[in-house]
PDB file of all heavy atoms in Angstrom:
ATOM      1  N   PRO A  28      -6.734  12.702 -14.300  1.00 97.00           N
ATOM      2  CA  PRO A  28      -8.012  12.011 -14.111  1.00 97.00           C
ATOM      3  C   PRO A  28      -8.261  11.720 -12.620  1.00 97.00           C
ATOM      4  O   PRO A  28      -7.290  11.659 -11.856  1.00 97.00           O
ATOM      5  CB  PRO A  28      -7.857  10.699 -14.873  1.00 97.00           C
ATOM      6  CG  PRO A  28      -6.613  10.795 -15.629  1.00 97.00           C
ATOM      7  CD  PRO A  28      -5.737  11.867 -15.030  1.00 97.00           C
ATOM      8  N   GLN A  29      -9.490  11.474 -12.252  1.00 97.00           N
ATOM      9  CA  GLN A  29      -9.777  11.022 -10.880  1.00 97.00           C
ATOM     10  C   GLN A  29      -9.024   9.728 -10.612  1.00 97.00           C
ATOM     11  O   GLN A  29      -8.678   8.958 -11.538  1.00 97.00           O
ATOM     12  CB  GLN A  29     -11.281  10.822 -10.698  1.00 97.00           C
ATOM     13  CG  GLN A  29     -12.063  12.105 -10.603  1.00 97.00           C
ATOM     14  CD  GLN A  29     -13.556  11.862 -10.488  1.00 97.00           C
ATOM     15  OE1 GLN A  29     -14.341  12.244 -11.374  1.00 97.00           O
ATOM     16  NE2 GLN A  29     -13.978  11.270  -9.401  1.00 97.00           N
ATOM     17  N   LEU A  30      -8.815   9.405  -9.325  1.00 96.00           N
ATOM     18  CA  LEU A  30      -8.063   8.218  -8.970  1.00 96.00           C
ATOM     19  C   LEU A  30      -8.874   6.955  -9.383  1.00 96.00           C
ATOM     20  O   LEU A  30     -10.088   6.928  -9.236  1.00 96.00           O
ATOM     21  CB  LEU A  30      -7.774   8.192  -7.502  1.00 96.00           C
ATOM     22  CG  LEU A  30      -7.055   9.408  -6.941  1.00 96.00           C
ATOM     23  CD1 LEU A  30      -6.758   9.271  -5.436  1.00 96.00           C
ATOM     24  CD2 LEU A  30      -5.726   9.685  -7.652  1.00 96.00           C
ATOM     25  N   THR A  31      -8.123   5.933  -9.844  1.00 94.00           N
ATOM     26  CA  THR A  31      -8.804   4.664 -10.137  1.00 94.00           C
ATOM     27  C   THR A  31      -8.520   3.682  -9.032  1.00 94.00           C
ATOM     28  O   THR A  31      -9.290   2.758  -8.844  1.00 94.00           O
ATOM     29  CB  THR A  31      -8.333   4.124 -11.508  1.00 94.00           C
ATOM     30  OG1 THR A  31      -6.858   4.148 -11.491  1.00 94.00           O
ATOM     31  CG2 THR A  31      -8.825   4.881 -12.650  1.00 94.00           C
ATOM     32  N   GLU A  32      -7.468   3.950  -8.229  1.00 88.00           N
ATOM     33  CA  GLU A  32      -7.177   3.060  -7.108  1.00 88.00           C
ATOM     34  C   GLU A  32      -8.209   3.296  -6.011  1.00 88.00           C
ATOM     35  O   GLU A  32      -8.449   4.431  -5.615  1.00 88.00           O
ATOM     36  CB  GLU A  32      -5.799   3.412  -6.519  1.00 88.00           C
ATOM     37  CG  GLU A  32      -4.593   3.351  -7.460  1.00 88.00           C
ATOM     38  CD  GLU A  32      -4.391   4.643  -8.307  1.00 88.00           C
ATOM     39  OE1 GLU A  32      -5.303   5.498  -8.333  1.00 88.00           O
ATOM     40  OE2 GLU A  32      -3.334   4.711  -8.962  1.00 88.00           O
ATOM     41  N   PRO A  33      -8.839   2.205  -5.516  1.00 89.00           N
ATOM     42  CA  PRO A  33      -9.745   2.427  -4.372  1.00 89.00           C
ATOM     43  C   PRO A  33      -8.953   2.771  -3.139  1.00 89.00           C
ATOM     44  O   PRO A  33      -8.023   2.014  -2.790  1.00 89.00           O
ATOM     45  CB  PRO A  33     -10.486   1.074  -4.234  1.00 89.00           C
ATOM     46  CG  PRO A  33      -9.623   0.085  -4.955  1.00 89.00           C
ATOM     47  CD  PRO A  33      -8.717   0.809  -5.868  1.00 89.00           C
ATOM     48  N   LEU A  34      -9.236   3.843  -2.462  1.00 95.00           N
ATOM     49  CA  LEU A  34      -8.507   4.274  -1.281  1.00 95.00           C
ATOM     50  C   LEU A  34      -9.437   4.373  -0.100  1.00 95.00           C
ATOM     51  O   LEU A  34     -10.520   4.899  -0.221  1.00 95.00           O
ATOM     52  CB  LEU A  34      -7.954   5.674  -1.519  1.00 95.00           C
ATOM     53  CG  LEU A  34      -6.638   5.907  -2.268  1.00 95.00           C
ATOM     54  CD1 LEU A  34      -6.254   7.373  -2.203  1.00 95.00           C
ATOM     55  CD2 LEU A  34      -5.542   5.045  -1.655  1.00 95.00           C
ATOM     56  N   ALA A  35      -9.001   3.896   1.089  1.00 96.00           N
ATOM     57  CA  ALA A  35      -9.717   4.179   2.298  1.00 96.00           C
ATOM     58  C   ALA A  35      -9.453   5.603   2.691  1.00 96.00           C
ATOM     59  O   ALA A  35      -8.419   6.204   2.274  1.00 96.00           O
ATOM     60  CB  ALA A  35      -9.231   3.226   3.399  1.00 96.00           C
ATOM     61  N   LEU A  36     -10.331   6.178   3.486  1.00 96.00           N
ATOM     62  CA  LEU A  36     -10.140   7.595   3.833  1.00 96.00           C
ATOM     63  C   LEU A  36      -8.800   7.843   4.532  1.00 96.00           C
ATOM     64  O   LEU A  36      -8.129   8.833   4.208  1.00 96.00           O
ATOM     65  CB  LEU A  36     -11.334   8.077   4.760  1.00 96.00           C
ATOM     66  CG  LEU A  36     -11.352   9.558   5.050  1.00 96.00           C
ATOM     67  CD1 LEU A  36     -11.443  10.410   3.752  1.00 96.00           C
ATOM     68  CD2 LEU A  36     -12.528   9.892   5.928  1.00 96.00           C
ATOM     69  N   ASP A  37      -8.394   6.937   5.438  1.00 96.00           N
ATOM     70  CA  ASP A  37      -7.103   7.088   6.108  1.00 96.00           C
ATOM     71  C   ASP A  37      -5.957   7.108   5.099  1.00 96.00           C
ATOM     72  O   ASP A  37      -5.011   7.867   5.238  1.00 96.00           O
ATOM     73  CB  ASP A  37      -6.859   5.944   7.102  1.00 96.00           C
ATOM     74  CG  ASP A  37      -7.630   6.095   8.383  1.00 96.00           C
ATOM     75  OD1 ASP A  37      -8.264   7.153   8.542  1.00 96.00           O
ATOM     76  OD2 ASP A  37      -7.575   5.182   9.189  1.00 96.00           O
ATOM     77  N   ASP A  38      -6.071   6.237   4.053  1.00 97.00           N
ATOM     78  CA  ASP A  38      -5.032   6.200   3.078  1.00 97.00           C
ATOM     79  C   ASP A  38      -5.034   7.493   2.236  1.00 97.00           C
ATOM     80  O   ASP A  38      -3.981   7.944   1.789  1.00 97.00           O
ATOM     81  CB  ASP A  38      -5.184   4.959   2.216  1.00 97.00           C
ATOM     82  CG  ASP A  38      -4.725   3.718   2.980  1.00 97.00           C
ATOM     83  OD1 ASP A  38      -3.868   3.844   3.864  1.00 97.00           O
ATOM     84  OD2 ASP A  38      -5.242   2.583   2.704  1.00 97.00           O
ATOM     85  N   ALA A  39      -6.230   8.003   1.969  1.00 97.00           N
ATOM     86  CA  ALA A  39      -6.280   9.304   1.222  1.00 97.00           C
ATOM     87  C   ALA A  39      -5.550  10.391   2.008  1.00 97.00           C
ATOM     88  O   ALA A  39      -4.805  11.184   1.399  1.00 97.00           O
ATOM     89  CB  ALA A  39      -7.759   9.698   0.995  1.00 97.00           C
ATOM     90  N   TYR A  40      -5.690  10.419   3.300  1.00 97.00           N
ATOM     91  CA  TYR A  40      -4.952  11.393   4.132  1.00 97.00           C
ATOM     92  C   TYR A  40      -3.434  11.080   4.132  1.00 97.00           C
ATOM     93  O   TYR A  40      -2.631  11.984   4.205  1.00 97.00           O
ATOM     94  CB  TYR A  40      -5.515  11.501   5.552  1.00 97.00           C
ATOM     95  CG  TYR A  40      -6.700  12.412   5.636  1.00 97.00           C
ATOM     96  CD1 TYR A  40      -7.993  11.917   5.791  1.00 97.00           C
ATOM     97  CD2 TYR A  40      -6.541  13.778   5.496  1.00 97.00           C
ATOM     98  CE1 TYR A  40      -9.115  12.764   5.848  1.00 97.00           C
ATOM     99  CE2 TYR A  40      -7.653  14.655   5.570  1.00 97.00           C
ATOM    100  CZ  TYR A  40      -8.913  14.131   5.723  1.00 97.00           C
ATOM    101  OH  TYR A  40     -10.004  14.962   5.785  1.00 97.00           O
ATOM    102  N   ARG A  41      -3.110   9.775   4.031  1.00 97.00           N
ATOM    103  CA  ARG A  41      -1.640   9.411   3.928  1.00 97.00           C
ATOM    104  C   ARG A  41      -1.112   9.925   2.594  1.00 97.00           C
ATOM    105  O   ARG A  41       0.019  10.449   2.538  1.00 97.00           O
ATOM    106  CB  ARG A  41      -1.493   7.934   4.030  1.00 97.00           C
ATOM    107  CG  ARG A  41      -1.631   7.468   5.451  1.00 97.00           C
ATOM    108  CD  ARG A  41      -1.239   5.997   5.653  1.00 97.00           C
ATOM    109  NE  ARG A  41      -1.672   5.647   7.004  1.00 97.00           N
ATOM    110  CZ  ARG A  41      -2.748   4.966   7.338  1.00 97.00           C
ATOM    111  NH1 ARG A  41      -3.540   4.405   6.372  1.00 97.00           N
ATOM    112  NH2 ARG A  41      -3.102   4.729   8.571  1.00 97.00           N
ATOM    113  N   VAL A  42      -1.930   9.863   1.524  1.00 98.00           N
ATOM    114  CA  VAL A  42      -1.456  10.404   0.231  1.00 98.00           C
ATOM    115  C   VAL A  42      -1.256  11.900   0.387  1.00 98.00           C
ATOM    116  O   VAL A  42      -0.203  12.464  -0.065  1.00 98.00           O
ATOM    117  CB  VAL A  42      -2.498  10.138  -0.912  1.00 98.00           C
ATOM    118  CG1 VAL A  42      -2.109  10.866  -2.134  1.00 98.00           C
ATOM    119  CG2 VAL A  42      -2.624   8.625  -1.156  1.00 98.00           C
TER     120      VAL A  42
END
Side-chain angles (χ1 to χ4, degrees):
Q29 285 179 244
L30 305 181
T31 47
E32 302 84 347
L34 277 185
L36 188 58
D37 282 355
D38 286 330
Y40 277 107
R41 284 188 190 103
V42 172

